[in-house]
């Protein structure tokens, strides 16, 4: 025995307690010394199996509730707590409950008159108890000793300080306990496996009634679960769930290795118990309910996420919109920046050039009535839109932003061109958010949400609602912007005002000067492809003006804006300003002011500087006024063209050279956009053909104004094979700015060139013989096809009439009409063919 390592050690006495000699002789064998240092009888080392060796007339009792179960997890890699019971007991001495020696509790549980001798005590900290091996006379059964010990514990319960509600329990070990030191900690569920008594034999699966009768004496059983009938797992098993962990510990230590005989239901050969702790799988009832009710859970989750988004992100986005509109945090509004700009204005050109500003001053002086009218409208409480309409290059944006709203605070500018030119819904949302300062914006999340929504819908059959449509996201951005604008309107409101008690709506209605101004530029730009965007913007603008949150000014090039705005405000009359081309006098003043750099043109004449100017001032060539007037008459009063002319003159070109270059550039632009084959011949619903564009160019090169209805009645527009709808073709060409359709009394009346410079470009294109021959020949070829189709139609009808057996009396006039129609069409074809032959010679002989 000296070579056997001590696996389970006997108790040592705690300081302050010494067993009496009578106790030593009465309860302990001679080999158990007074110091409680017995030799272990656990077979270990080479024959390690973790079992207790028993001699004849020896049995084992299990004493429970001697140690707290919390100590079971106290494992140090360099120290086993079961080998140092003294150290653990020292911790109990510091408790306010006093010193509680487990050996004392064991001795108090053993009756004085019991015919037994304790030979060894094996503590099991992991199980919170100890095995007590004892010997007894041959005529005394272990059950009698168990009854005696249980009687003492029932009459005089022993309750340790760490468990005041449960006393020490004792039970006879009927099986063969396994003293393992694995990290398997007690649980209230036991896995009872049914194994054969000897290898190779057959085991018998016990019923729940048998298991209940054998395990119930150790504590209350909550549930017994047998192995499923279709399970192929071997060995067979069953789960026994106790109400308390201590009861499961008692049952395992007493019945592990117990052989169930045939009388008890274990079969002829007997069935052995192999018992282990099993972690109970907790039922995830909440999670199971969530996964089994997606139709309820998914909408709730969406609502929660939406609420979190509103609570967290909406205030942030509203703040950024307010900062974008008020420009409070821009560098240009910083006092230090303004001071530095003022001090360095002679070094860095941070403003518009003086020559350019001087030219614009002449225009603003001419349009001061329009500017004053817009400013007056902004001081009124009328719930309607202000529309500034004019062709591109007429200076609409500069007039509104730099003059009418020059000293106005809280101005929001939305450029529709940036939005509608974006490709893809995510880019459109990003551009819209950038225009109003709405951030943070997760435009990429929309496509991801759509994929998640599609996956959930395909698996559950319910649309989750994670993804949002373009319409809903635009609505969200615009609503947040409206709320931020209203907050900006009310920021300047003071409690000391006489009308401080008014509600916000009444206050803004009474103070139109406090409202923000929303300028929507390039409205109805490519409206055919982006109707949804313009409808949303128009509805939002209508809500702003009707709720007195902001004034809304629309800048547009297209006269069809009323179709969109009338849907949003059907019962309102819009405040309309039409900007046309500048008059010759204003155009001349603009060019001279631009060229002279702000000096009066009277001070300079024909390149000679007056003697009053500074000597070091560079000489600027002022153009000849007569030549300039002729060029302005050719160029017209379009602001962008005049500005381009002024820059060319300032660069050293003469007015004629500059106008010739501008005309050449415009002619090239017309050829590229309207006359080359294979180019786009429509803008959505309005389809036109290159032959129709050339027909208008040809006519406008001869006359400045065409009759609208006369053009519609021409064969090129009335019977076109490519674009048969003449009115739609004219509207498309007007939207493309090749022509301008002028109206009178609400109906289209005349057609002119889209820009004044186009008139000269038309003449130049018509004078180009090869180009004119090519385009005219293409137009005539289409007319030949049109007349040929008319002849075919008439011939088919004549053939049908000729097939009748008897010619009805009324068909004679019809036949004559068809014959005359064929004759007229044939004469036209002959004329067209002759003209095409002439044009073919031009193409063959000229470059």
């Amino acid at each position: 025995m000296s070579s056997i390592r001590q696996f389970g050690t006997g108790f040592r006495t705690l300081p302050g307690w010494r067993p009496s000699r009578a106790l030593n002789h009465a309860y302990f064998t001679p080999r158990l010394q007074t110091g409680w240092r017995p030799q272990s009888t656990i077979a270990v080392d080479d024959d390690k199996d973790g079992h207790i060796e028993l001699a004849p007339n020896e049995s084992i009792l299990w004493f429970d509730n001697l140690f707290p179960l919390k100590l079971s997890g106290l494992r140090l890699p360099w120290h086993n707590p079961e080998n140092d019971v003294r150290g653990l007991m020292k911790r109990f001495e510091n408790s306010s409950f006093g010193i509680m020696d487990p050996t004392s509790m064991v001795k108090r549980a053993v009756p004085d008159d019991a015919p037994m001798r304790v030979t060894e005590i094996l503590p099991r900290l992991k199980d919170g108890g100890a095995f007590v091996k004892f010997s007894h006379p041959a005529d005394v059964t272990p059950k009698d000793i168990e009854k005696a010990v249980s009687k003492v514990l029932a009459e005089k319960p022993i309750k340790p300080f760490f468990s005041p509600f449960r006393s020490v329990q004792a039970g006879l070990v009927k099986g063969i306990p396994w003293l393992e030191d694995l990290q398997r900690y007690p649980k209230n569920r036991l896995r009872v496996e049914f194994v054969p008594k000897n290898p190779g034999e057959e085991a018998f699966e016990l019923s729940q009634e048998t298991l209940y009768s054998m395990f119930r004496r150790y504590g209350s059983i909550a549930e017994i679960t047998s192995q499923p009938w279709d399970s192929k797992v071997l060995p067979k098993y069953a789960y026994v769930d106790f109400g308390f962990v201590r009861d499961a510990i008692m049952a395992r230590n007493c019945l592990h290795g117990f052989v169930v005989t045939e009388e008890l239901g274990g079969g002829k050969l007997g069935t052995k118990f192999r018992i282990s702790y099993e972690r109970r799988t907790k039922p995830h009832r909440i999670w199971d309910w969530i996964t089994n009710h997606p139709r309820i859970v998914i909408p709730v989750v969406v609502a929660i996420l939406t609420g979190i988004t509103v609570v967290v992100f909406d205030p942030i986005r509203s703040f950024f919109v307010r900062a974008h509109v008020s420009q409070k945090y821009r560098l240009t509004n910083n006092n230090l920046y303004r001071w530095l700009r003022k001090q360095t204005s002679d070094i860095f050109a941070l403003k518009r050039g003086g020559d350019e500003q001087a030219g614009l001053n002449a225009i603003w002086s001419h349009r001061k009535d329009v500017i004053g009218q817009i400013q007056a409208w902004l001081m009124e409480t009328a719930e309607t839109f202000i529309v500034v309409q004019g062709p591109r290059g007429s200076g609409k944006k500069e007039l509104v932003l730099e003059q009418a709203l020059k000293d106005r605070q809280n101005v929001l500018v939305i450029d529709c061109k940036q939005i509608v030119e974006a490709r893809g819904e995510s880019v459109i949302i990003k551009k819209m958010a950038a225009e109003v300062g709405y951030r943070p914006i997760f435009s990429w999340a929309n496509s991801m949400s759509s994929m998640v929504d599609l996956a959930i819908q395909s698996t559950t059959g319910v649309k989750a609602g994670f993804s949002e449509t373009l319409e809903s996201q635009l609505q969200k951005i615009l609503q947040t912007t409206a709320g931020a604008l209203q907050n900006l309107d009310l920021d300047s409101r003071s409690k000391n005002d006489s009308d401080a008690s008014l509600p916000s709506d009444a206050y803004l209605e009474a103070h139109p000067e406090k409202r923000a101004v929303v300028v929507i530029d390039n409205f109805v730009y490519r409206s055919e492809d982006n109707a949804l965007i313009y409808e949303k913007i128009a509805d939002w603008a209508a809500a702003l003006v009707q709720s007195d949150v902001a004034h809304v000014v629309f800048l547009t090039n297209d006269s069809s804006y009323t179709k969109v705005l009338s849907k949003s405000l059907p019962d309102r009359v819009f405040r309309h300003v039409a900007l046309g081309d500048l008059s010759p006098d204003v155009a001349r003043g603009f060019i001279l002011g631009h060229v002279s750099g702000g000096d009066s043109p009277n001070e300079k004449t024909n390149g000679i500087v007056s003697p009053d100017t500074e000597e070091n001032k560079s000489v600027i060539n002022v153009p000849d006024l007569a030549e300039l007037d002729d060029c302005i008459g050719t160029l017209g009063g379009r602001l962008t063209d005049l500005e381009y002319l002024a820059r060319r003159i300032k660069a050293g070109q003469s007015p004629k050279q500059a106008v010739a270059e501008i005309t050449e550039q415009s002619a090239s632009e017309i050829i590229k956009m309207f006359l080359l084959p294979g180019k786009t011949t429509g803008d959505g619903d309005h389809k036109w053909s290159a032959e129709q564009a050339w027909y208008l160019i040809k006519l406008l090169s001869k006359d400045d104004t065409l009759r609208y209805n006369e053009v519609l009645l021409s064969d090129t527009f009335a019977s076109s094979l490519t674009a048969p709808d003449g009115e739609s073709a004219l509207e498309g060409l007007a939207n493309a700015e090749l022509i301008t359709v002028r109206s009178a009394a609400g109906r289209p009346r005349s057609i002119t060139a889209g820009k004044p410079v186009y008139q000269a470009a038309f003449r130049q294109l018509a004078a180009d013989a090869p180009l004119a021959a090519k385009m005219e020949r293409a137009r005539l070829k289409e007319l030949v096809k049109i007349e040929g189709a008319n002849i075919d139609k008439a011939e088919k009808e004549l053939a049908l009439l000729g097939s009748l057996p008897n010619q009805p009396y009324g068909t004679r006039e019809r036949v004559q009409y068809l014959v005359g129609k064929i004759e007229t069409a044939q004469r036209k074809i002959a004329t067209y063919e002759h003209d095409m032959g002439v044009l073919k010679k031009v193409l063959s002989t000229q470059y």
Side-chain angles (χ1 to χ4, degrees):
M1 298 292 290
S2 61
S3 63
I4 299 177
R5 183 175 61 85
Q6 190 174 2
F7 184 86
T9 180
F11 285 119
R12 298 183 180 182
T13 58
L14 296 178
W17 181 84
R18 292 178 178 273
S20 62
R21 297 183 62 184
L23 268 174
N24 292 337
H25 289 287
Y27 291 97
F28 302 98
T29 62
R31 63 176 177 173
L32 187 61
Q33 303 299 324
T34 307
W36 296 82
R37 300 187 182 184
Q39 293 294 329
S40 175
T41 57
I42 302 176
V44 290
D45 286 346
D46 296 337
D47 299 328
K48 180 190 299 183
D49 58 4
H51 297 139
I52 302 176
E53 296 179 354
L54 294 177
N57 297 329
E58 282 189 340
S59 297
I60 303 173
L61 284 173
W62 169 256
F63 283 85
D64 187 30
N65 207 21
L66 298 180
F67 306 105
L69 291 179
K70 297 298 183 181
L71 293 179
S72 61
L74 186 59
R75 276 187 173 273
L76 301 177
W78 61 86
H79 186 65
N80 188 350
E82 293 185 356
N83 297 331
D84 189 14
V85 181
R86 179 187 295 273
L88 294 174
M89 293 300 104
K90 286 182 179 179
R91 300 187 181 182
F92 300 148
E93 294 178 6
N94 298 329
S95 175
S96 61
F97 290 95
I99 300 175
M100 295 294 292
D101 192 347
T103 58
S104 174
M105 290 186 285
V106 172
K107 287 191 290 184
R108 288 166 57 190
V110 177
D112 295 340
D113 56 351
M116 61 175 291
R117 289 188 301 174
V118 176
T119 59
E120 192 170 3
I121 300 178
L122 303 175
R124 299 291 295 168
L125 296 181
K126 186 167 62 174
D127 292 337
F131 289 103
V132 177
K133 187 168 68 171
F134 64 93
S135 62
H136 56 86
D139 57 345
V140 178
T141 62
K143 289 185 178 180
D144 296 336
I145 296 177
E146 180 189 15
K147 291 180 181 179
V149 173
S150 298
K151 183 179 180 181
V152 172
L153 292 177
E155 294 176 353
K156 299 178 180 179
I158 302 174
K159 297 181 180 181
F161 72 91
F162 54 83
S163 180
F165 303 105
R166 182 183 176 93
S167 61
V168 176
Q169 305 290 333
L172 180 64
V173 178
K174 299 180 180 180
I176 303 174
W178 180 28
L179 306 183
E180 41 81 18
D181 57 353
L182 304 177
Q183 294 187 9
R184 300 178 181 176
Y185 301 107
K187 308 293 179 184
N188 63 344
R189 164 171 281 196
L190 296 180
R191 178 186 174 98
V192 183
E193 297 180 351
F194 309 111
V195 297
K197 180 180 178 181
N198 298 313
E201 297 179 354
E202 184 179 359
F204 186 80
E205 183 178 3
L206 273 65
S207 64
Q208 294 186 2
E209 293 84 350
T210 303
L211 292 174
Y212 182 84
S213 63
M214 301 181 67
F215 283 85
R216 176 62 181 84
R217 65 185 305 273
Y218 299 105
S220 176
I221 297 177
E223 181 62 55
I224 298 177
T225 307
S226 299
Q227 185 178 4
W229 64 272
D230 57 346
S231 176
K232 305 298 182 181
V233 178
L234 293 177
K236 297 292 185 179
Y237 65 90
Y239 289 122
V240 180
D241 298 329
F242 284 89
F244 298 97
V245 178
R246 291 282 186 180
D247 298 338
I249 294 173
M250 176 76 76
R252 178 183 181 275
N253 289 324
C254 292
L255 293 180
H256 180 81
F258 175 69
V259 178
V260 183
T261 61
E262 184 179 3
E263 292 78 8
L264 297 177
K268 295 181 179 181
L269 301 178
T271 300
K272 182 189 291 186
F273 286 157
R274 188 164 65 193
I275 305 175
S276 60
Y277 299 114
E278 185 82 7
R279 180 183 295 273
R280 183 194 299 269
T281 303
K282 296 183 180 180
H284 301 283
R285 297 181 180 178
I286 298 177
W287 178 252
D288 292 341
W289 188 90
I290 290 174
T291 55
N292 293 330
H293 298 80
R295 301 191 177 203
I296 300 175
V297 173
I298 292 177
V300 172
V301 171
V302 173
I304 293 175
L305 294 178
T306 304
I308 293 175
T309 302
V310 171
V311 172
V312 176
F313 289 105
D314 276 13
I316 299 175
R317 290 164 175 166
S318 179
F319 168 79
F320 279 111
V321 172
R322 294 177 60 185
H324 176 79
V325 176
S326 63
Q327 302 181 1
K328 182 178 180 180
Y329 301 101
R330 287 198 175 183
L331 180 63
T332 54
N333 294 331
N334 185 271
N335 294 330
L336 178 60
Y337 176 83
R338 290 180 177 179
W339 179 83
L340 290 175
R341 185 176 64 178
K342 182 178 180 181
Q343 298 299 322
T344 58
S345 59
D346 55 340
I347 302 175
F348 302 104
L350 299 179
K351 282 188 175 183
R352 189 190 301 268
D355 50 354
E356 186 176 355
Q357 188 63 40
L360 290 175
N361 289 336
I363 299 176
W364 306 146
S365 300
H366 175 67
R367 293 177 172 174
K368 61 181 179 180
D369 295 338
V370 176
I371 298 172
Q373 183 65 62
I374 296 175
Q375 292 176 342
W377 286 340
L378 293 176
M379 299 300 294
E380 297 178 0
T381 59
E383 298 176 357
T384 186
F385 299 139
I386 300 175
V387 181
V388 180
Q389 190 265 334
R392 285 191 301 177
S394 57
K396 301 182 297 297
K397 189 173 183 179
E398 292 80 1
L399 181 141
V400 173
L401 295 180
E402 298 181 7
Q403 298 301 314
L405 302 177
K406 184 176 182 180
D407 299 325
R408 189 91 180 196
Q409 295 181 348
N410 301 333
V411 177
L412 174 62
V413 181
I414 299 177
D415 190 358
C416 296
K417 183 178 180 181
Q418 301 294 330
I419 301 172
V420 300
E421 286 184 348
R423 295 186 178 181
E425 292 187 358
S426 60
V427 183
I428 290 176
I429 295 169
K430 186 176 180 180
K431 291 293 184 181
M432 173 62 80
E435 290 297 321
V436 299
Y438 182 92
R439 62 176 65 89
I441 178 69
F442 308 108
S443 56
W444 52 267
N446 189 39
S447 57
M448 185 178 298
S449 300
S450 301
M451 296 175 61
V452 173
D453 200 358
L454 181 61
I456 293 176
Q457 185 176 3
S458 60
T459 54
T460 64
V462 180
K463 191 172 183 180
F466 287 110
S467 61
E468 292 181 309
T469 62
L470 174 63
E471 181 179 358
S472 62
Q473 295 196 51
L474 291 177
Q475 186 71 22
K476 183 189 299 184
I477 294 174
L478 295 176
Q479 285 181 352
T480 303
T481 305
L485 291 175
Q486 187 174 19
N487 293 334
L488 282 174
D489 296 342
L490 300 175
D491 282 347
S492 60
R493 187 177 183 181
S494 176
K495 296 181 179 180
N496 299 326
D497 294 341
S498 58
D499 52 0
S501 60
L502 291 176
S504 58
D505 296 342
Y507 177 81
L508 292 177
E509 184 179 2
H511 296 275
E513 73 280 359
K514 300 289 186 180
R515 304 177 200 170
V517 179
V518 179
V519 179
I520 301 176
D521 192 15
N522 290 315
F523 189 65
V524 296
Y525 173 78
R526 296 183 182 176
S527 58
E528 292 78 10
D529 300 332
N530 302 276
L532 174 63
I533 298 176
Y534 290 116
E535 289 177 2
K536 284 298 174 183
I537 292 177
D539 293 342
W540 173 69
L544 291 180
V545 298
Q546 288 179 336
S547 58
D548 298 321
V549 173
H551 301 283
V552 180
V553 181
F554 288 96
L555 308 181
T556 180
N557 307 329
D558 198 337
S559 59
S560 62
Y561 66 90
T562 55
K563 297 180 181 179
V564 181
L565 297 183
S566 297
K567 296 179 181 179
S568 301
L569 286 179
D571 56 344
R572 297 289 192 276
V573 178
F574 306 140
R575 303 291 178 83
H576 178 263
V577 173
L579 296 183
D581 296 331
L582 300 177
S583 63
D585 295 337
V586 177
R588 183 175 61 176
F590 170 78
I591 294 176
L592 293 178
H594 196 287
V595 172
S596 61
D599 297 332
S600 174
N602 296 327
E603 297 179 3
K604 305 175 183 181
T605 56
N606 297 329
I608 302 175
V609 183
S610 61
D612 297 335
T613 57
E614 298 178 3
E615 295 179 358
N616 296 330
K617 196 169 185 178
S618 60
V619 178
I620 301 176
N621 294 324
V622 177
D624 181 66
L625 297 182
E627 182 182 354
L628 181 61
D629 291 341
D630 295 338
C631 292
I632 291 177
T634 302
L635 195 62
R638 191 64 53 90
L639 183 59
T640 52
D641 296 335
L642 293 175
E643 186 175 4
Y644 185 73
L645 174 61
R647 290 177 181 175
R648 287 295 177 182
I649 294 174
K650 189 175 181 181
Q653 290 184 346
S654 65
K656 289 185 178 181
Q657 292 175 343
V659 169
E661 184 175 344
I662 295 174
T663 304
E664 181 70 25
Q665 183 177 354
S666 299
S668 301
E669 180 182 346
I670 293 172
I671 294 175
K672 182 179 179 181
M673 294 180 60
F674 300 98
L675 301 182
L676 287 181
K679 298 299 180 180
T680 302
T681 57
D683 57 349
D685 297 335
H686 307 298
K687 192 174 184 180
W688 45 268
S689 65
E691 291 79 11
Q692 292 172 336
W694 168 252
Y695 182 70
L696 292 174
I697 292 173
K698 177 183 175 182
L699 295 180
L700 288 173
S701 65
K702 301 176 182 178
D703 298 323
D704 295 342
T705 304
L706 303 177
R707 285 183 288 271
Y708 183 84
N709 294 324
E710 182 181 2
V711 174
L712 283 180
L713 293 175
S714 63
D715 293 338
T716 305
F717 280 88
S719 305
S720 175
L721 300 177
T722 308
D725 190 350
E727 290 187 343
S728 178
L730 288 176
E731 187 173 357
L733 291 170
N735 292 339
E737 296 189 354
L738 178 68
I739 60 173
T740 299
V741 178
R742 302 189 181 277
S743 301
R747 65 174 181 85
R749 179 180 179 181
S750 60
I751 297 175
T752 59
K755 293 194 296 185
V757 71
Y758 277 3
Q759 193 72 42
F762 292 164
R763 297 190 184 98
Q764 182 174 338
L765 293 174
D768 189 349
L771 176 65
K774 177 183 176 182
M775 298 306 303
E776 186 65 17
R777 188 171 183 274
R779 188 182 72 86
L780 294 176
K781 186 182 295 185
E782 185 182 27
L783 292 178
V784 170
K785 293 180 181 179
I786 294 173
E787 297 302 331
N790 293 334
I791 293 175
D792 291 340
K793 185 177 179 181
E795 289 178 345
K796 288 181 181 179
E797 188 173 353
L798 286 175
L800 179 61
L801 294 175
S803 63
L804 297 177
N806 296 320
Q807 294 293 330
Y809 178 77
T811 60
R812 182 178 301 176
E813 294 182 0
R814 182 63 180 174
V815 171
Q816 293 178 355
Y817 167 76
L818 293 175
V819 172
K821 189 174 182 180
I822 292 174
E823 182 181 0
T824 302
Q826 183 58 37
R827 284 200 300 267
K828 289 184 179 180
I829 291 176
T831 304
Y832 296 155
E833 293 288 350
H834 176 269
D835 294 341
M836 290 172 62
V838 175
L839 296 174
K840 186 176 181 180
K841 291 182 180 179
V842 174
L843 292 174
S844 301
T845 58
Q846 296 188 20
Y847 291 97

